[in-house]
Amino acid sequence: ADMQIQIFPNPSNGELFISNKGKYHLNRLYMYNTLGIQVLQSDLSKSADIHNIQFSGLSSGVYYIHILAEGGHWMTQKIEVK
């Protein structure tokens, strides 16, 4: 799949930017902790090239960002929360 997505900053302190330079519109973002428990879900605006996600109250540690795009395409990236 042509998923040209960057997630930054990593590590994050409560804010993430998702840059989409690929050909698929992004639909939704999920964030999971290392136990596989979903801690965040956010709809993504299909028209935006850069999405801004803000979160708070998460413990420091490793999380997994799972992004679902149109056509059933998806990608996962590990991030660290400070």
Side-chain angles (χ1 to χ4, degrees):
D2 184 23
M3 299 279 288
Q4 299 173 27
I5 295 172
Q6 290 182 304
I7 300 174
F8 57 93
N10 187 7
S12 170
N13 60 359
E15 184 171 42
L16 286 173
F17 294 94
I18 296 118
S19 168
N20 179 24
K21 299 191 184 316
K23 62 185 180 184
Y24 300 113
H25 291 302
L26 306 184
N27 292 334
R28 188 165 290 167
L29 173 144
Y30 302 91
M31 190 171 178
Y32 298 91
N33 65 16
T34 53
L35 300 175
I37 297 169
Q38 182 180 306
V39 296
L40 179 73
Q41 175 179 321
S42 179
D43 289 331
L44 301 174
S45 164
K46 294 185 178 188
S47 60
D49 291 332
I50 294 195
H51 305 272
N52 174 245
I53 304 293
Q54 298 187 1
F55 55 91
S56 61
L58 293 182
S59 303
S60 298
V62 172
Y63 292 85
Y64 295 90
I65 302 288
H66 185 88
I67 294 179
L68 185 64
E70 65 179 353
H73 298 284
W74 59 274
M75 60 89 69
T76 300
Q77 182 171 323
K78 182 168 77 171
I79 67 154
E80 183 184 349
V81 172
K82 289 281 197 196

